[in-house]
Structures are given as structure tokens and as C-alpha cells.
Amino acid sequence: MRAGTAVLTVDAAGMRAQNSGLLLNMIWRERQISRAEIARRTELSPSTVSAIVADLEQAGLVRSIGAGVSRGGRRPTLIGFCDEAFSLVGVELGASHVTVVLTDLRGRVRTQSKASHAVRGDPEGSLQKAKELIHECLDAERVPRRSVVGMGVAVPSPVHPAAPGKMSPLILPAWKNVDVKEWFETTFDMPVFVDNDANLGALSECFWGAGSGGEDLTYIKLATGIGAGHIIHGDVYRGAGGTAGEIGHIPVDSNGPLCVCGLRGCLVTLIGSTALTERARELMGTRGRKGPTVRDLVEGARTGDAAAKQIIDGMGAYLGIAVGGLLNLLNPAIVVLGGEISSVGEMLLDPLRASVRQRALSVSMAETRIVTSVLGERAIAVGAATLVLQAALRDRSLFPTQNVVRTA
Amino acid sequence: MRAGTAVLTVDAAGMRAQNSGLLLNMIWRERQISRAEIARRTELSPSTVSAIVADLEQAGLVRSIGAGVSRGGRRPTLIGFCDEAFSLVGVELGASHVTVVLTDLRGRVRTQSKASHAVRGDPEGSLQKAKELIHECLDAERVPRRSVVGMGVAVPSPVHPAAPGKMSPLILPAWKNVDVKEWFETTFDMPVFVDNDANLGALSECFWGAGSGGEDLTYIKLATGIGAGHIIHGDVYRGAGGTAGEIGHIPVDSNGPLCVCGLRGCLVTLIGSTALTERARELMGTRGRKGPTVRDLVEGARTGDAAAKQIIDGMGAYLGIAVGGLLNLLNPAIVVLGGEISSVGEMLLDPLRASVRQRALSVSMAETRIVTSVLGERAIAVGAATLVLQAALRDRSLFPTQNVVRTA
DNA sequence: TGGTATTTCTTCGTCAATCGAACGAACTCG
DNA sequence: CGAGTTCGTTCGATTGACGAAGAAATACCA
């Protein structure tokens, strides 16, 4: 019944909020733009644009950055975004590690710290570890609390839109009684946004990676678990119960091994890190007493090891089944592969594309680019920070006030 | 890079447009509501609400419908939507037929007309046929041109968001040189909206069927072709190239028959109408010289025919593979099955649900309702009309002005 | 070199839409 | 029947965008 309309009414103040948010976005996107150009593009009157820019300048969000080239008259004053006026905190709670990054408003990492930790079974310890790492980051750069906009947290669990702090009891049973959002909010007293790790990888790619342009995009995280995140109309899409993109348990081989989830031949049992290293041990032999790692596999593939190549070919074939379904069902503009193994690049993309071609309509294929991530291992933590940025660029009031940091 | 923000600036007039659109939506949705109640819910001041309602009344879109119950003081005046103030035209260009409906603003069909026609290979003839049927409908109710808001057209082809009038050259090669949107616009001189048939089935279900409430929903059309449409955040989701939901060619049986698309074991070759009747001929024998139809199959299933039941069981099993993938990838709140065969209801849903359970995480399953359509064969044509309604409820200016029809 | 046209940006008065307070009307409850 | 409540309207105040006019800066041209 809902007709999908904005649910917010507007008064004079709301009008200003909307217009100024729009300007802020435009300045952020364009990096440098004159008032006159803004007025032309937005169809706002020059006087209004000036007034709003003055507001934003007052708030320390934008600043003049010199004159541009003349178009036959007075030279325009270029306005730029203050990329470093505020900081963002991104936290990644991985399966076995905690990563924290401190970024500026352009996604550049100022500091990062990382620690191994068994996150799965130890909520209290993980949160304490995260707290330490965050303090480490903030102290390292002497970042005043005032200049931090908020905190994004990536968790290795689907997140229900209605209860964003709660983990899935099936995937992280030990976290049953923890509310992650609440914990960070009370511990650090700032806005906190929580989302699934693959969803934030997708957001990261959309803002800083392959997706520049805001197109619909799907990110696939290839690691211990296999998960996907969708960006639709510039936003993370979570589905009705928050489990959109949980592709790890799509069955792709009816004769495959039994999975913990009860099904047979799940994607994760065939191309998850554990399966890959297992298979590598069979084909490549043990490396030291611990057996080959994913890194060894990548190395092997680079140096032309036939066994490594074979394993990655097989991975591409299986993954293609899931990606083929994805193209037919969702038809995204871009599919990005992330996770350590994706660094082999074409070596994985070739068999993947071949497999997809056998399963997707050529029409969907033609419209979709399939690529590997260029953002590296920090992608997800940065995506968490980006979630805060995205929210703040929409709602100016999230930026702390009275901040007169004149950096950059 | 785009942060997914509204791209429209607001001035005083825009403010009014937005607020009055919001009010119009609320009145449409609630069917009857007092000014005071609107003011409470929207947080608009009572004076503003009164002013806007007066506007809408002037335009003939809403009207007073008597007094409501008192809450301890003066009784409120209930405002209602003028469901029959305007008409909508919905056109369905099916694979082998053309259907036209004329509806009111509540999705009720005033007139309909239908004709068999080989749409695939004959664009000119099909369009002419549609034109005749539309005139028939308009004349039957003596509907003045003035009171028609616009026209929605459902086509059996993916529709590219950037060129909504163009058919896919792979699916409807004969329509290569036709622009459907343009043709209807010039022929009838009114706003025209074109979309894929399954997408409009989904919209229909979202507005008038299982989806009342605006949740994310996927509709699956089971007919000669197999297609799906997604509603996301209340809107049809088309994907990057307009082929989202083209699930007919998902391979579900690697040993299945070769499909025209070049792949093997496509869903459509196994559970499309042709495959079903083929199989019915094998198992149930010929009925007359033409062999059994889908209708015969439905009949058979109802009367307990074992062969019919077997065919439908198999259909559910195959469909479950695709639906399982859908739940894992998109996690919609509701999946609706449409098309003639869906009228067997639980008989199809039971094996489908069983098949899905073997392929989807229990979490996704738990959040998703799988049901059959209750809208019948007009669902898609009504969905086409609904596309116009949806647009007009968002943008009041689409409603023709100076219309003073005082019906209902 | 100087004048004119152009572009940029600001100033200031006007306009439109919302808000809030005050008021009359209509109703419930005791 | 009167006190208290709710509904809807009226009217002046406020706010934010607009438009016209003007000042500053620059290109272009004679």
C-alpha cells in the first residue's frame, strides 16, 4: 500500500536542511566548484547559494580554495570540501581479528590498528579489544573527541534492520546477549552505525573503488565465509530480515560435502578459505607443519604453480553458479570480488566469467562488469567508516558543531 | 561517488508540492482521516493541513465524507479520497494476447477487453489491436479523455531504464524499430509508462494483493515464459540493464534439455507452460486432438489426478532451486506466484516450500512468506494501470486539472 | 590603453508557505 | 446545563527562497 514516498514533511527549516544537504553533497562530490556553477546546476538562485555556502563555511565543512578560470568575466571563487575537518572511525569485527581505522572525510586512512582475536566466541573480550584499538588510533593522531563524527562497525553476521545492534543467534550464538550498537554508543558517546561486513565492503567499493558513480553494485567477500552485499540506488540493501546477500549457503553441487547448516554442497564448503587450503594441502603438499595458507595459494598462482591454478579454476567455476544466478535475479552494473584470494585477479576472473557465461543470459552479462577489488584488506573497516560519512552527508546535523579545525 | 541523495532542490512552491503530495498519499492510504489526525501524524500545523486539504478538494482529488467519532470534543470531519475522480488505462501485451483494462484510482476494473493476437512477430498489428481495445474501453464507460490520468503498458520483454520504449532485440526481434512508449504517447496524447510484465505483476501484488504494506516483494510469473519482478522500497527494481528478475534461464538441471538461449536445463524449459503441457501429454494422454492445456492440468490437480499432481510436484521442486537462490540473495518479505498454474495453490506451494527449505538458510526462510496470487489473470494489466497511479500519487501535477467529476 | 560586455557574488526588498496563538463551533461528561 | 476537550479557521509573525540591482573582477576589442 505504501507508495514509496518520502515520509517527512517540510517547513522552512526543513527546506534549508534539504537544500544545504544537497549543496554539501555536490561540493563533496565535485571537490571544487564555484557558487555560480552550483546555482546553475541546482537551479537555486545565486543569493540562496551564497547564503547556504556561508552557513557551511561557518560550520567548517567547506572553504574557499582560490579562484577558478574565467568564463569571460570575473573569475569564480572555487569552494572545496574540508576533507580533514572531521574524522570517522571504522571498526571491523572479523571472524578472527579486530581492525580499527581512523579516516578523514575522503576515505583516507589516518591510522589503523589490528589485532588477532577469536571474535566468534568472546564478545566481551572482542569489544574490549576494539575499545583499546580505537583509543590507540585516536591518541596516535591526537584527534580531539569533538572532531569525530561517529563510528561504523562491521560485524560478521546479518543485521536485522529493526535491531541493528543484535547479532544473528544462528551465526554468532555467543553474542546473544550483546547489543553492539548500544555498547559502542555508551562507551564512546557518539553516533554508531552497525552493518554486515559484506554490505560494508560493498559500500566501500561504491564510494572508493570500482563503483565510483553510484551504480548498483554487488560485492562478494571471499574469505572464511562467503557473503555478498548489495548497493541499490546508492544505499546498502539489507532485505526484509537483513539476510540479503547471504550466499555462502547456496548449494552449487548436489554431491558436495555436508555443511554445518544442514544442506549439502554449499558454496562455503567448496570455496571458503578452509576448503581452499584443504584442497591446497592435498594438491600442493604441506608447507611447514601448518599446511598452506590462502597467501601461499595466491603466491603459487602468481608463480605459475599448476595445482594452485587448478584450485582457483575450480573456485571460479563454482562461484560462477552463484554469480550467474545473481546476474539473472538482480542484474547489477558491477560485481566486485573481495577478500585475500581475489588478489589473483584475472586468474580467478577468467574461469569465473566462463562459468557465468554458461548460466546467465547474454543480455545481463553484457551490462555487468565483473572485477576484483583494489581496496585491499582494509576495505571493510573503511566501509564501516563510510557508513558514517554517508549518513552525515545526508544529514548535516550529524557533523559536530563549533569545530574550528583549520586543517587542509 | 553519489551518496544516494534526492537530487531536487526545494523552494516555497516545492515545499508545498512535497507536503501536499504527502497528504494526498496519506489520504489515499487511510481512505478516511480527519484534518486533525493528519496534523498529528505529519507534524504539520493544523492551519497548513487545512490549507492543503482545501487545495486538494479544489482539484477534485479529495472530499469530505461526513463526521467521525468524537474523541471527547467536537467531531472531526473525515476526508476521503475521490477514488473515481479519474481513470487509469492498463495495457498488457502478452505473448499471444492483448488485454486492456480501465480502472479507477483504487485499482478496481471498470471495463476490460481482451483479444488473442500473436504479439511476438507483429508489432504494427498488436499496437492497432491495442488501440481498438482501448477505444472500446473508453467508449464503453463514456469516459471523457480529460479524466484519464495516463496509460501503463506491460510488455513481455525486459525494459532498459534508459530507453523505456524499446524492446529487447534478443527477445522481441520483430519489435526492433518500434518505440512503444512513443507510439502510445503520440496516439493517445497522454503520459505513458512502460515496464516489463513480471515487474508490473509485482507492483500489482504490492498495491492490491499479498503485499499490502509496502514490504519488499518478489512476484514470479509462471506462464509460457518464467519471469520475476522485484519491489524494493515500494518501487519496481529494474537492475542496471533492466533485466533484473529474468529468471527463466537460470539453469536448474545440468542434464536438462537444451534451451533456445544456448544453455542447458533452463527453468523455462522445465516448468514453462510448454514443458508442462508436453509432460501432461505424456502422463495424462491427449485430450481431444490438441492435447491437454494448463487449464486441464489445474483441473486434474483439483480432482486428484495422480499424474497432474506429479507434474506439479516436479514443478515445485525445480522452482524451489530458483526461489532458494532468491531468498539467499535478496531476502524479500514475500514471494508471490502468479500465472494460471498458480491457482492450484497449496498443491504447488507444498513441494516448492520443501524444495526451498533444502536450499535456503533457515533464517531467510523464516522471514519470507511464499504465497500464490489472488489477483487472477488481470493482475498484470492492472499493474500497468497501477504504474500510472503510483507516479501520480507522487506528483500531483500528473492529475488533469479542471476536472469537476463529482462521482463517488 | 581604455571602454564595453560578461561573469561573479552580494545586498535588499518581495513573496510564498509554514507556524503559532487566539477564537468560535461542536461535542462529551458529570 | 456548564466545564472541559477537540476540531477547524483566521490572522499576524517568521523564515527562507527569489529577483532585481549593484559592485567587483575580468575578457575582449578598438
Side-chain angles (χ1 to χ4, degrees), chain A residues 130-178:
Chain A
K131 183 178 172 183
E132 283 169 34
L133 295 177
I134 293 168
H135 276 125
E136 220 171 84
C137 281
L138 291 177
D139 293 348
E141 294 279 318
R142 299 193 183 287
V143 173
R145 222 32 171 281
R146 274 287 162 74
S147 76
V148 179
V149 182
M151 194 174 283
V153 182
V155 295
S157 155
V159 168
H160 198 293
K166 289 293 196 179
M167 304 298 100
S168 160
L170 272 105
I171 305 214
L172 291 180
W175 290 66
K176 194 173 56 178
N177 297 314
V178 187

Side-chain angles (χ1 to χ4, degrees), chain A residues 36 40 47 50 71 73-74 76-77:
Chain A
R40 276 190 295 268
S47 41
S50 282
R71 305 195 330 156
R74 174 176 165 181
T77 326

Side-chain angles (χ1 to χ4, degrees), chain A residues 17-90:
Chain A
Q18 187 160 334
N19 287 341
S20 95
L22 207 63
L23 276 204
L24 189 62
N25 261 282
M26 184 171 284
I27 296 170
W28 184 84
R29 237 172 28 230
E30 300 296 327
R31 285 156 186 270
Q32 49 180 49
I33 187 168
S34 69
R35 289 170 239 257
E37 182 62 24
I38 293 175
R40 276 190 295 268
R41 292 205 203 167
T42 60
E43 297 186 309
L44 247 40
S45 74
S47 41
T48 303
V49 172
S50 282
I52 293 177
V53 167
D55 266 14
L56 294 174
E57 205 162 4
Q58 187 74 24
L61 287 167
V62 307
R63 64 185 213 286
S64 293
I65 48 171
V69 293
S70 164
R71 305 195 330 156
R74 174 176 165 181
R75 295 168 66 193
T77 326
L78 294 180
I79 308 296
F81 194 86
C82 295
D83 292 344
E84 316 200 356
F86 298 97
S87 300
L88 306 165
V89 174

Side-chain angles (χ1 to χ4, degrees), chain A residues 161-319:
Chain A
K166 289 293 196 179
M167 304 298 100
S168 160
L170 272 105
I171 305 214
L172 291 180
W175 290 66
K176 194 173 56 178
N177 297 314
V178 187
D179 187 306
V180 174
K181 182 167 148 65
E182 214 174 273
W183 189 87
F184 279 102
E185 268 168 353
T186 56
T187 307
F188 289 94
D189 190 31
M190 55 174 75
V192 174
F193 302 83
V194 179
D195 210 329
N196 171 261
D197 51 8
N199 288 350
L200 292 174
L203 190 65
S204 213
E205 287 294 338
C206 177
F207 267 71
W208 322 113
S212 311
E215 300 155 294
D216 294 344
L217 166 158
T218 295
Y219 172 88
I220 300 180
K221 184 192 157 201
L222 302 169
T224 312
I226 307 289
H230 308 296
I231 302 293
I232 289 182
H233 300 324
D235 258 315
V236 172
Y237 178 69
R238 301 182 175 82
T243 67
E246 287 295 316
I247 62 171
H249 298 274
I250 290 184
V252 290
D253 182 352
S254 48
N255 301 318
L258 203 63
C259 175
V260 289
C261 76
L263 308 183
R264 188 172 280 283
C266 291
L267 201 53
V268 68
T269 65
L270 294 166
I271 67 164
S273 297
T274 314
L276 294 184
T277 50
E278 195 80 13
R279 188 115 177 78
R281 186 202 302 270
E282 290 169 21
L283 295 182
M284 299 166 70
T286 55
R287 309 254 161 144
R289 61 169 191 275
K290 290 186 120 179
T293 61
V294 171
R295 179 167 317 210
D296 294 329
L297 199 54
V298 173
E299 270 311 306
R302 286 237 176 84
T303 56
D305 182 308
K309 194 160 168 357
Q310 186 186 336
I311 292 172
I312 291 173
D313 276 355
M315 181 178 189
Y318 279 129
L319 189 55

Side-chain angles (χ1 to χ4, degrees), chain B residues 209-327:
Chain B
S212 313
E215 300 154 293
D216 295 344
L217 165 158
T218 295
Y219 173 89
I220 300 180
K221 184 192 156 200
L222 302 168
T224 311
I226 307 290
H230 307 296
I231 303 292
I232 289 182
H233 300 324
D235 257 316
V236 171
Y237 179 70
R238 300 180 177 85
T243 67
E246 287 296 316
I247 61 170
H249 298 274
I250 290 183
V252 291
D253 182 352
S254 48
N255 301 318
L258 204 64
C259 175
V260 288
C261 76
L263 308 183
R264 188 172 280 283
C266 290
L267 202 54
V268 69
T269 64
L270 293 165
I271 68 164
S273 298
T274 314
L276 293 185
T277 50
E278 195 80 13
R279 189 115 177 77
R281 187 202 302 271
E282 290 169 21
L283 294 181
M284 298 166 71
T286 54
R287 310 255 161 145
R289 62 171 189 276
K290 290 186 121 179
T293 61
V294 171
R295 179 167 315 213
D296 294 328
L297 198 54
V298 173
E299 272 311 306
R302 285 236 175 83
T303 54
D305 183 308
K309 193 160 169 359
Q310 186 186 338
I311 293 172
I312 291 173
D313 276 355
M315 180 177 191
Y318 279 129
L319 189 56
I321 298 177
V323 174
L326 169 70
L327 296 207

Side-chain angles (χ1 to χ4, degrees), chain A residues 89-92 98-102 109 111-115 129-135 137 381:
Chain A
V89 174
V91 180
E92 178 188 6
V98 179
T99 305
V100 172
V101 296
L102 186 74
V109 175
T111 326
Q112 67 175 333
S113 46
K114 181 174 173 175
K129 188 49 106 181
K131 183 178 172 183
E132 283 169 34
L133 295 177
I134 293 168
H135 276 125
C137 281

